[in-house]
């Protein structure tokens, strides 16, 4: 399969983040923000989402600087999606302090997707209702990738399962995979998720890397070494962006795509908030690939 562009729908956010050593508020974030910034280093990328009139210029600059197509980015009267997260001493664990959907609450876009089969759509983490609205509009030939989060498993599990059924690639973290599948180990969880519909499951394991499972293949990938982690926020989204961007740039080489996902995640966690990614380049992502353990 050959792909030549990527659409990404998901949250575009202002985050309040606290780690044991630092905290900051109204940082640029969101699942679509992180994934599109990384994907755009490798592939033509369009972002689909909505922001409120409190969305800072730095956000528009970030998208512009990385040539992310913002034709499908709406601006509405109201508040930008915001999320508060607090990390434990072990960065693999965090608590959500609040999720305020803001202008996403009533967002239901109509998108005229091009009828070109060489397109990937990433349903980045956002409500399964919005993910389904997008799936229902995109041509059936698109490769559909999906990511999600514990909140949606807790409050919208049935709808989420319906979206997963339509996805080709599912990104999910370890705790979410175990809770959604009610399995006792990752292999069992991956088998359950494959049985719902996707042909590839990527379980993100935080500091333990990631596990790719398809019907006939299992690949484990480790994380980069010697990284000083400042803020883990966006690691999963960056992984999805790097992985899918690589499928566009390099074709269906899954080992290579996993490396781009891992390198992207490593970069995302070395800075606080997405504002810092304004100078991200493909060279920087490439320089992290040899650091994978
Ligand atoms: P990650 O660390 O990869 O799980 O992604 C963190 C990003 O997801 C943050 O920048 C948040 O703004 C965003 N986020 C948090 N909760 C949600 C949610 N329920 N739906 C969509 N995006 C979210």
């Amino acid at each position: 399969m050959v792909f030549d562009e990527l659409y990404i729908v998901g949250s575009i956010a202002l985050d309040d983040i606290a780690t044991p050593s630092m905290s900051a508020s109204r940082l640029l974030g969101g699942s679509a923000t992180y994934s599109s910034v990384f994907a755009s280093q490798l592939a033509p990328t369009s972002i689909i989402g909505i922001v409120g009139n409190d969305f800072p210029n730095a956000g528009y600059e970030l998208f512009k600087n990385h040539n992310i197509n913002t034709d499908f980015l709406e601006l509405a009267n109201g508040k930008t999606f915001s999320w508060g997260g607090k990390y434990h001493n072990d960065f693999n664990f965090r608590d959500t302090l609040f999720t305020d959907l803001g202008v996403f609450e009533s967002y239901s876009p109509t998108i005229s997707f091009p009828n070109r089969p060489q397109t990937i759509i990433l349903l980045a983490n956002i409500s399964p209702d919005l993910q389904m609205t997008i799936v229902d509009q995109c041509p059936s030939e698109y490769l559909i990738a999906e990511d999600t989060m514990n909140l949606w498993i807790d409050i919208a599990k049935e709808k989420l399962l319906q979206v997963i059924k339509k996805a080709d690639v599912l990104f999910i973290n370890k705790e979410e995979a175990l809770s959604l599948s009610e399995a006792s180990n990752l292999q069992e969880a991956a088998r359950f998720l494959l049985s719902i519909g996707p042909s590839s499951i990527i379980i993100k394991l935080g500091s333990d890397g990631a596990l790719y499972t398809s019907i006939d293949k299992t690949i484990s990938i480790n994380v980069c070494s010697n990284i000083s982690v400042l803020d883990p926020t966006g690691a999963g989204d960056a992984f999805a962006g790097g992985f899918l961007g690589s499928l566009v740039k390099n074709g269906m080489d899954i080992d290579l795509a996993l490396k781009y996902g891992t390198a992207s995640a490593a970069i995302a966690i070395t800075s606080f908030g997405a504002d810092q990614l304004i100078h991200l380049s493909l060279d920087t992502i490439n320089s992290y690939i040899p650091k994978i353990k």
Side-chain angles (χ1 to χ4, degrees), residues 13-28:
L14 295 172
D15 291 339
D16 289 0
I17 306 291
T19 68
S21 58
M22 249 175 114
S23 57
S25 57
R26 297 184 71 75
L27 291 164
L28 210 50

Side-chain angles (χ1 to χ4, degrees), residues 11 13 15 29-30 34 81 83 94 125 149 151-152 233-237:
S11 57
D15 291 339
Y34 279 103
F81 180 109
W83 175 75
R94 72 180 176 201
N125 176 28
M149 191 172 167
L151 174 73
W152 308 116
T233 308
D237 312 309

Side-chain angles (χ1 to χ4, degrees), residues 75-93:
L75 167 65
N77 240 339
K79 280 184 358 190
T80 297
F81 180 109
S82 65
W83 175 75
K86 186 170 181 203
Y87 288 88
H88 297 199
N89 285 329
D90 176 349
F91 276 166
N92 286 309
F93 298 96

Side-chain angles (χ1 to χ4, degrees), residues 10-17 27-34 81-84 87 94 96 98-101 104 124-127 147-152 155 173 176 204 231-239 269 274:
S11 57
I12 299 159
L14 295 172
D15 291 339
D16 289 0
I17 306 291
L27 291 164
L28 210 50
S31 59
T33 305
Y34 279 103
F81 180 109
S82 65
W83 175 75
Y87 288 88
R94 72 180 176 201
T96 287
F98 64 88
T99 305
D100 182 353
L101 297 180
F104 267 93
N125 176 28
I126 195 65
S127 79
D147 195 355
T148 192
M149 191 172 167
N150 52 356
L151 174 73
W152 308 116
I155 68 170
N173 79 23
E176 293 153 3
K204 298 167 284 178
D231 166 20
T233 308
D237 312 309
F239 190 103
I269 65 181

